[in-house]
């Protein structure tokens, strides 16, 4: 039995990954979709103080409270920053990592420095109303909520290498215009330490490729 911890990307709560969690549970595994502070049903907690460290601590608290010792961490988009921080701070509780169309930072990187200029403009324009909460793009639908700007711009602090973990997978969603992940995908494709997957769908993996992602996660636990 594997234990999956599923972390959604920007503007999304744990509801986004709940259908995937049900699929994994049907195979006899444990699965925990995480809602990060200030987002989803925790949007009432959004203040200017909520940052990347807060979100890393959110997931660490799940590992601690659920007594998870062998987590398969899966992060979508922005959440690549989060699962990288969790793995670095609690390596003894992490088995493997799956980055789904997500940022893979080095020490000192931020979502802001790793993303493309159109997304930087989106962060700034979306936070104009409050100065600290980035309003969700309209294309994300009615369940999306504002996301803390500080989590997008804070630099991550990493002390170790991802080489410590049994397995690392990168899932590249290749069929959408303006992806900030193309160069990362091409680089990781040349790195034998990574298992790289190309799914020709848009960035919304749960709408277009939930079954394919579930198959990759099940394989990652073997």
């Amino acid at each position: 039995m594997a234990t999956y911890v599923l972390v959604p990307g920007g503007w999304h709560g744990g509801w986004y990954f709940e259908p995937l969690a049900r699929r994994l549970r049907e195979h006899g595994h444990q699965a925990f979709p995480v809602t990060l502070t200030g987002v989803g049903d925790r949007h009432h907690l959004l203040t200017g103080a909520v940052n990347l460290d807060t979100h890393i601590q959110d997931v660490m608290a799940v590992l601690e409270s659920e007594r998870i010792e062998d987590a398969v961490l899966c992060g979508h988009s922005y959440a690549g920053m989060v699962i990288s921080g969790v793995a670095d701070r609690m390596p003894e509780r992490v088995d493997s990592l799956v980055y789904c169309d997500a940022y893979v930072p080095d020490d000192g990187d931020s979502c802001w420095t790793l993303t493309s200029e159109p997304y930087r403009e989106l962060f700034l324009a979306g936070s104009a109303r409050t100065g600290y909460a980035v309003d969700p793009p309209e294309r994300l639908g009615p369940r999306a909520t504002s996301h803390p700007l500080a989590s997008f711009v804070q630099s991550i602090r990493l002390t170790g290498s991802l080489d410590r973990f049994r397995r690392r997978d990168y899932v590249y969603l290749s069929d959408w215009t303006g992806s900030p992940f193309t160069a990362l995908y091409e680089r990781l494709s040349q790195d034998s330490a990574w298992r790289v997957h190309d799914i020709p769908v848009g960035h919304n993996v749960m709408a277009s490729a939930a079954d394919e992602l579930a198959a990759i996660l099940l394989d990652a636990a073997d």
Side-chain angles (χ1 to χ4, degrees), residues 17-73:
F17 271 145
E18 184 55 42
L20 176 60
R22 288 197 295 270
R23 284 175 167 86
L24 298 172
R25 292 171 190 140
E26 288 169 358
H27 286 269
H29 304 295
Q30 290 186 305
F32 298 90
V34 180
T35 295
L36 300 171
T37 298
V39 189
D41 59 4
R42 303 181 71 195
H43 71 274
H44 59 288
L45 300 176
L46 178 51
T47 68
V50 178
N51 59 18
L52 177 59
D53 282 338
T54 311
H55 289 169
I56 292 170
Q57 291 164 0
D58 286 336
V59 180
M60 291 172 59
V62 173
L63 300 186
E64 291 175 339
S65 65
E66 299 294 339
R67 300 183 178 180
I68 298 170
E69 303 287 346
D70 57 349
V72 178
L73 298 181

Side-chain angles (χ1 to χ4, degrees), residues 77-110:
S77 195
Y78 156 74
M81 304 294 300
V82 179
I83 66 171
S84 295
V86 173
D88 188 70
R89 298 185 192 185
M90 303 184 80
E92 73 284 356
R93 291 180 178 265
V94 176
D95 173 71
S96 54
L97 300 108
V98 178
Y99 292 81
C100 181
D101 227 25
Y103 302 98
V104 181
D106 292 321
D107 180 50
D109 285 334
S110 66

Side-chain angles (χ1 to χ4, degrees), residues 89-157:
R89 298 185 192 185
M90 303 184 80
E92 73 284 356
R93 291 180 178 265
V94 176
D95 173 71
S96 54
L97 300 108
V98 178
Y99 292 81
C100 181
D101 227 25
Y103 302 98
V104 181
D106 292 321
D107 180 50
D109 285 334
S110 66
C111 188
W112 176 271
T113 62
L114 292 177
T115 199
S116 59
E117 188 60 30
Y119 279 91
R120 295 187 193 102
E121 294 175 359
L122 185 153
F123 297 161
L124 291 177
S127 60
R129 181 173 56 85
T130 64
Y132 64 87
V134 182
D135 292 334
E138 291 184 3
R139 67 179 182 274
L140 296 185
R143 296 192 72 178
T145 57
S146 296
H147 190 97
L149 175 63
S151 70
F152 287 143
V153 301
Q154 184 185 12
S155 297
I156 195 168
R157 294 303 170 204

